[in-house]
């Protein structure tokens, strides 16, 4: 029996680390120690294609190598076959990935036992510079700020109410069937956001991501009634243009939320309540131009809806007329708003949009310079399967990034001790392995959104852990995105409690200042904006090393309640990293001997000289 070893996270075994660009060469080496000269093969395939079997050449004692390049983007899988001849009998073993290991694989005797290593192949694309170097701030428009002197709604609307006080907790008014029958509002407006630009500037953010602003019945506006109209409760198109211009004058970019999987039941496209007239909309007449958009099982009362929610009729994204209205027609939604100055789009429930639909949006955006397209994907986007289809998010000409929920889960796993530190590092490193670096850096990293509990509440209102979560937000790779009010330590359980009104009268500025320091630190260090990432651990300590050219940023986090001793020499690196003795000496001189419970240490070095310092938690 031969001894076999391969670790795709080690530079000697595989170069480059992780995903590979099309037409770039990958080098793979495997260690096979055998008493006889074995035959060693690398087996690789593009998903859906036949396996190619490539002989590996012996390059040193027990070491075998092959090199190849891939000309077509997509998801590939590879493994190894080792054959040994004993007494005229040929023995075959296969070597592939082992779950929950630090990259190292395992041998199996049967092909059906084999789990292949993943290899992502992508087309290289240019970074969107304002985005990858930026810091984002997510605003739920109704809950941020109103420009009106009196506490009121901008216009009258049926079946709505406004809270008596902006400190009230949000809630839904539902009937016995569980349907929302009265939508609650706090009265936030576009002009209100514009009035708070000085606050955004003082905080230091450079990107505003707005939850939906198009005409809808609900306060969240994921039930679009008209894609070409601003919701009148927020303001007018003139207000929107004014907001865009004012943000741009202050070097702040704008990302809109595109909801194209479904529409509102009372939209002009479906028109269930007849507000647009008896002869308009798919549910009023089968002669409607919008009728082909929807799938009726019993016209007009029973139809396919998003997750069975009848308020949200699902649109057939394969329908040509819908594609033309959203991105392909002479007058389309993406062009209409992007030409007004919108800088990018976030696609709601991207896994329910066909790849051809997303690629059509991307092609339309390509007419403009430096626009960004990201999607809501909660899992590993490189190997995501939805509705039976493998998705093409990460390969190029599709999404440029995703909402990085796996990173949020890792932060919670770390701080709530839901997983061991080594397992968290393994999961994060595997994500880095599967994503192209450009995709990692252009994903929107968050610790809270409108779809999650507030991070302060998620951490059981433990202030030390809360500050640690915010710190990780700015060090982990990707574009950090603050959910409005998290910098004011807002509480909030699940929807709708996580969507309270911004506490402008909260005078506690300590967390705001903490976020300001982090934002300024990130802006000052290219390693945090564009650096490659190495995760490591030492005992109970979690670590992250970000490297860009000659700048290195090192972070140690102690998620435990107990003081922990730091030993830089005792670090377990998951990837190959060229750490020189001189660098170790310089870091060691700066490191404290111990880190207190629920605390961290961070420093940045350039040309092996320290240029940063600790941001105290």
């Amino acid at each position: 029996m031969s001894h076999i070893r391969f670790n795709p996270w080690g530079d000697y075994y595989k170069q480059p680390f992780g995903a590979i660009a099309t037409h770039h060469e990958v080098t793979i080496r495997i260690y096979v120690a055998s008493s006889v000269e074995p035959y060693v093969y690398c087996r690789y395939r593009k998903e859906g294609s036949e396996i190619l079997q490539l002989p590996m050449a012996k390059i040193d004692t027990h070491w075998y190598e092959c090199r190849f390049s891939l000309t077509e983007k997509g998801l590939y899988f590879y493994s190894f076959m080792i054959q040994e001849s004993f007494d005229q009998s040929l023995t075959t073993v296969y070597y592939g990935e082992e779950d929950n290991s630090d990259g190292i694989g395992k041998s199996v005797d049967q092909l059906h036992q084999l789990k292949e290593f993943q290899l992502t192949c992508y087309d290289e694309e240019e970074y969107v510079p304002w985005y990858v170097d930026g810091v984002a701030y997510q605003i739920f428009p109704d809950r941020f700020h109103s420009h009106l002197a009196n506490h009121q709604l901008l216009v009258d609307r049926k079946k709505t109410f406004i809270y008596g006080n902006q400190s009230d907790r949000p809630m839904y008014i539902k009937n016995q069937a569980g349907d929302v029958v009265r939508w609650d509002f706090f009265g936030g407006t576009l002009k209100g956001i514009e009035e708070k630009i000085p606050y955004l500037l003082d905080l230091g953010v450079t990107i505003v991501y707005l939850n939906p602003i198009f005409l809808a019945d609900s306060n969240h506006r994921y039930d679009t009634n008209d894609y070409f109209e601003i919701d009148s409760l927020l303001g007018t198109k003139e207000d929107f243009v004014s907001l865009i211009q004012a943000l741009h004058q202050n070097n702040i970019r704008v990302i809109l939320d595109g909801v194209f999987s479904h529409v509102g039941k009372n939209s002009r496209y479906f028109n269930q309540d007849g507000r647009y007239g008896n002869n308009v909309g798919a549910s009023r007449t089968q002669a409607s131009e919008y009728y082909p958009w929807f799938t009726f099982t019993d016209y007009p009362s029973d139809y396919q809806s998003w997750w069975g929610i009848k308020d949200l009729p699902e649109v057939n994204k394969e329908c040509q007329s819908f594609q033309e209205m959203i991105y392909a027609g002479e007058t389309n939604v993406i062009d209409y708003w992007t030409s007004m100055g919108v800088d990018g789009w976030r696609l709601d429930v991207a896994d329910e949009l066909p790849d051809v639909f997303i690629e059509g949006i991307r092609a339309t955006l390509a007419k403009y310079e430096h626009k960004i397209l990201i999607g809501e994907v909660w899992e590993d986007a490189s190997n995501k399967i939805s509705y039976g289809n493998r998705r093409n998010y990460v390969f190029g000409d599709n999404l440029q990034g995703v909402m990085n929920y796996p990173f949020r889960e890792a932060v919670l796993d770390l701080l709530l001790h839901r997983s061991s530190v080594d397992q968290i590092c393994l999961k994060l490193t595997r994500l880095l392995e599967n994503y192209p670096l450009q995709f990692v850096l252009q994903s929107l990293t968050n610790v809270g959104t409108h779809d999650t509990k507030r991070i302060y509440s998620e951490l059981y209102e433990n202030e030390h852990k809360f500050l640690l979560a915010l710190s990780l937000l700015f060090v982990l790779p990707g574009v950090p995105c603050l959910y409005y009010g998290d910098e004011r330590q807002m509480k909030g359980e699940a929807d709708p409690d996580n969507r309270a009104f911004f506490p402008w009268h909260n005078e506690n500025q300590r967390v705001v200042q903490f976020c300001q320091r982090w934002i300024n630190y990130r802006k000052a260090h290219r390693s945090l904006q564009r650096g490659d990432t190495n995760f490591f651990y030492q005992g109970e300590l979690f670590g992250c090393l970000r490297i860009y050219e000659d700048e290195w940023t090192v972070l140690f986090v102690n998620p435990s309640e107990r003081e922990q001793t730091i030993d830089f020499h005792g670090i377990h690196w998951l990837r190959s990293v060229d750490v020189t003795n001189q660098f170790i000496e310089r870091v060691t001189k700066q490191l404290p001997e111990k880190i207190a419970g629920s605390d961290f240490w961070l420093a940045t070095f350039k040309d092996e000289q320290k240029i940063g310092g600790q941001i105290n938690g």
Side-chain angles (χ1 to χ4, degrees):
M1 176 69 70
S2 58
H3 174 66
I4 307 169
R5 186 177 177 87
F6 174 75
N7 182 354
W9 300 351
D11 278 353
Y12 191 74
Y13 292 95
K14 178 177 175 290
Q15 293 179 341
F17 167 79
I20 179 174
T22 51
H23 305 289
H24 284 222
E25 186 176 70
V26 59
T27 299
I28 292 179
R29 301 186 184 100
I30 188 169
Y31 178 90
V32 182
S34 174
S35 59
V36 299
E37 193 68 40
Y39 302 96
V40 183
Y41 301 89
C42 178
R43 309 166 79 250
Y44 69 95
R45 64 184 176 90
K46 187 176 189 294
E47 188 171 37
S49 300
E50 293 183 359
I51 291 175
L52 297 174
Q53 199 156 280
L54 189 64
M56 300 185 72
K58 188 172 184 179
I59 58 170
D60 202 348
T61 304
H62 305 314
W63 284 98
Y64 297 81
E65 176 187 275
C66 68
R67 300 170 184 244
F68 57 88
S69 60
L70 305 174
T71 59
E72 186 178 351
K73 65 183 180 182
L75 204 61
Y76 290 76
F77 297 94
Y78 68 99
S79 61
F80 303 93
M81 182 174 75
I82 296 93
Q83 293 183 321
E84 299 166 307
S85 180
F86 296 99
D87 299 327
Q88 298 182 338
S89 176
L90 191 65
T91 302
T92 301
V93 296
Y94 302 94
Y95 192 90
E97 185 178 80
E98 181 171 18
D99 291 329
N100 301 319
S101 75
D102 53 352
I104 299 170
K106 68 174 182 178
S107 300
V108 297
D109 296 326
Q110 303 295 325
L111 268 176
H112 72 268
Q113 301 171 318
L114 181 69
K115 182 179 179 181
E116 299 164 297
F117 296 99
Q118 177 179 318
L119 180 59
T120 305
C121 184
Y122 64 98
D123 285 339
E124 287 185 290
E125 299 178 332
E126 291 185 1
Y127 289 109
V128 178
W130 61 262
Y131 176 70
V132 73
D133 297 335
V135 176
Y137 190 81
Q138 180 185 351
I139 293 177
F140 197 95
D142 179 64
R143 308 296 161 89
F144 190 60
H145 181 60
S146 173
H147 71 285
L148 300 174
N150 299 318
H151 181 48
Q152 63 188 85
L153 292 178
L154 192 56
V155 296
D156 291 333
R157 183 175 291 176
K158 291 182 179 181
K159 297 183 179 180
T160 64
F161 70 88
I162 188 167
Y163 288 98
N165 190 291
Q166 290 178 340
S167 63
D168 288 340
R169 302 306 302 178
M171 64 179 293
Y172 289 131
I173 306 299
K174 297 183 177 181
N175 60 20
Q176 290 182 336
D179 300 322
V180 175
V181 292
R182 293 289 185 274
W183 284 105
D184 54 318
F185 292 87
F186 281 90
T189 61
L190 297 178
K191 281 188 175 294
I193 297 173
E194 185 173 343
E195 283 185 355
K196 292 299 182 179
I197 288 177
Y199 173 79
L200 300 175
L201 285 174
D202 189 52
L203 187 59
V205 299
T206 62
I207 304 163
V208 167
Y209 153 43
L210 296 174
N211 284 112
I213 60 172
F214 303 136
L215 184 63
D217 282 356
S218 71
N219 53 42
H220 54 68
R221 299 184 175 88
Y222 284 94
D223 53 332
T224 311
N225 284 350
D226 192 323
Y227 287 112
F228 292 97
E229 293 295 333
I230 298 291
D231 194 311
S232 55
L233 287 176
L234 293 176
T236 64
K237 287 180 184 175
E238 290 73 23
D239 294 338
F240 178 69
V241 171
S242 176
L243 173 61
I244 292 281
Q245 291 175 347
L247 287 169
H248 284 175
Q249 287 168 5
N250 288 280
N251 297 315
I252 299 176
R253 305 288 185 137
V254 181
I255 294 175
L256 291 189
D257 212 332
V259 187
F260 304 131
S261 172
H262 48 269
V263 297
K265 68 178 181 180
N266 297 320
S267 64
R268 68 166 55 252
Y269 317 111
F270 202 76
N271 195 26
Q272 189 174 89
D273 66 1
R275 69 181 64 175
Y276 290 97
N278 288 329
N279 295 315
V280 176
S283 73
R284 310 299 294 187
T285 172
Q286 295 182 52
S288 168
E289 62 181 306
Y290 306 121
Y291 179 78
W293 292 13
F294 305 97
T295 302
F296 289 91
T297 53
D298 185 11
Y299 186 83
S301 58
D302 198 9
Y303 46 88
Q304 194 166 309
S305 59
W306 185 74
W307 285 36
I309 302 171
K310 290 302 182 181
D311 279 1
L312 304 173
E314 188 172 340
V315 180
N316 176 10
K317 277 72 69 177
E318 307 285 355
C319 183
Q320 183 178 348
S321 63
F322 183 66
Q323 294 176 356
E324 288 176 351
M325 195 188 78
I326 299 301
Y327 63 82
E330 187 173 339
T331 301
N332 65 72
V333 173
I334 299 298
D335 267 330
Y336 186 79
W337 297 104
T338 305
S339 64
M340 290 187 189
V342 170
D343 300 290
W345 292 80
R346 177 260 191 191
L347 298 182
D348 184 55
V349 291
D351 56 355
E352 301 194 25
L353 304 175
D355 281 319
V356 67
F357 193 92
I358 296 174
E359 288 157 8
I361 294 175
R362 181 71 190 280
T364 299
L365 285 177
K367 298 186 298 185
Y368 305 88
E369 187 177 20
H370 294 153
K371 301 300 180 185
I372 193 73
L373 182 66
I374 59 175
E376 179 192 11
V377 179
W378 288 66
E379 306 85 6
D380 183 337
S382 71
N383 50 38
K384 168 80 175 180
I385 296 176
S386 62
Y387 300 94
N389 294 314
R390 184 79 75 184
R391 305 311 302 270
N392 296 328
Y393 300 138
V394 307
F395 306 133
D397 296 325
N398 196 284
L399 297 175
Q400 291 155 280
V402 290
M403 305 280 288
N404 214 338
Y405 284 105
F407 277 15
R408 177 183 186 272
E409 286 304 303
V411 170
L412 293 176
D413 287 346
L414 179 71
L415 300 182
L416 295 176
H417 312 293
R418 299 190 308 203
S419 294
S420 61
V421 177
D422 61 324
Q423 287 300 309
I424 292 168
C425 287
L426 291 175
K427 290 178 183 178
L428 290 175
T429 302
R430 183 152 282 118
L431 200 67
L432 296 182
E433 178 187 22
N434 292 345
Y435 283 3
L437 179 59
Q438 64 196 43
F439 199 87
V440 173
L441 297 180
Q442 294 191 146
S443 287
L444 202 64
T445 301
N446 61 78
V447 291
T449 72
H450 63 290
D451 284 325
T452 66
K453 290 182 182 181
R454 289 277 176 180
I455 188 62
Y456 185 53
S457 296
E458 194 82 81
L459 295 170
Y460 301 100
E461 299 182 21
N462 182 312
E463 188 169 293
H464 293 292
K465 291 185 181 295
F466 170 64
L467 295 177
L468 275 182
L470 292 178
S471 301
L472 285 163
L473 173 66
F474 292 102
V475 177
L476 292 174
V479 178
C481 183
L482 270 174
Y483 184 43
Y484 82 98
D486 277 352
E487 78 278 14
R488 296 289 181 109
Q489 211 164 330
M490 282 181 70
K491 304 174 184 178
E493 296 300 315
D495 171 26
D497 196 51
N498 57 351
R499 303 172 182 181
F501 198 74
F502 190 96
W504 290 109
H505 300 298
N506 178 351
E507 299 301 326
N508 183 357
Q509 294 292 305
R510 194 169 71 85
V511 179
V512 174
Q513 293 166 357
F514 182 78
C515 290
Q516 286 171 325
R517 293 200 301 273
W518 263 119
I519 290 171
N520 289 334
Y521 197 92
R522 186 181 190 276
K523 287 180 177 178
H525 297 100
R526 298 290 275 175
S527 55
L528 295 183
Q529 297 166 359
R530 303 197 183 197
D532 193 13
T533 307
N534 287 263
F535 293 109
F536 61 85
Y537 60 92
Q538 181 241 308
E540 294 187 62
L541 298 176
F542 170 86
C544 180
L545 173 64
R546 304 289 309 277
I547 304 172
Y548 183 78
E549 296 178 348
D550 59 350
E551 182 179 290
W552 300 47
T553 294
V554 185
L555 171 75
F556 280 87
V557 173
N558 179 6
S560 75
E561 310 299 329
R562 303 175 299 280
E563 186 178 65
Q564 299 287 332
T565 301
I566 296 180
D567 177 12
F568 200 84
H569 295 276
I571 285 175
H572 186 97
W573 298 97
L574 274 73
R575 288 178 55 189
S576 297
V577 57
D578 185 16
V579 180
T580 65
N581 290 332
Q582 185 180 8
F583 176 73
I584 291 175
E585 289 174 9
R586 292 200 177 271
V587 174
T588 303
K589 287 179 181 179
Q590 302 295 333
L591 276 171
E593 291 184 4
K594 299 179 184 294
I595 298 182
S598 298
D599 205 352
F600 69 92
W601 181 88
L602 171 127
T604 299
F605 299 81
K606 190 167 185 177
D607 291 326
E608 299 192 339
Q609 298 296 318
K610 185 179 177 187
I611 62 169
Q614 183 177 5
I615 299 179
N616 295 316

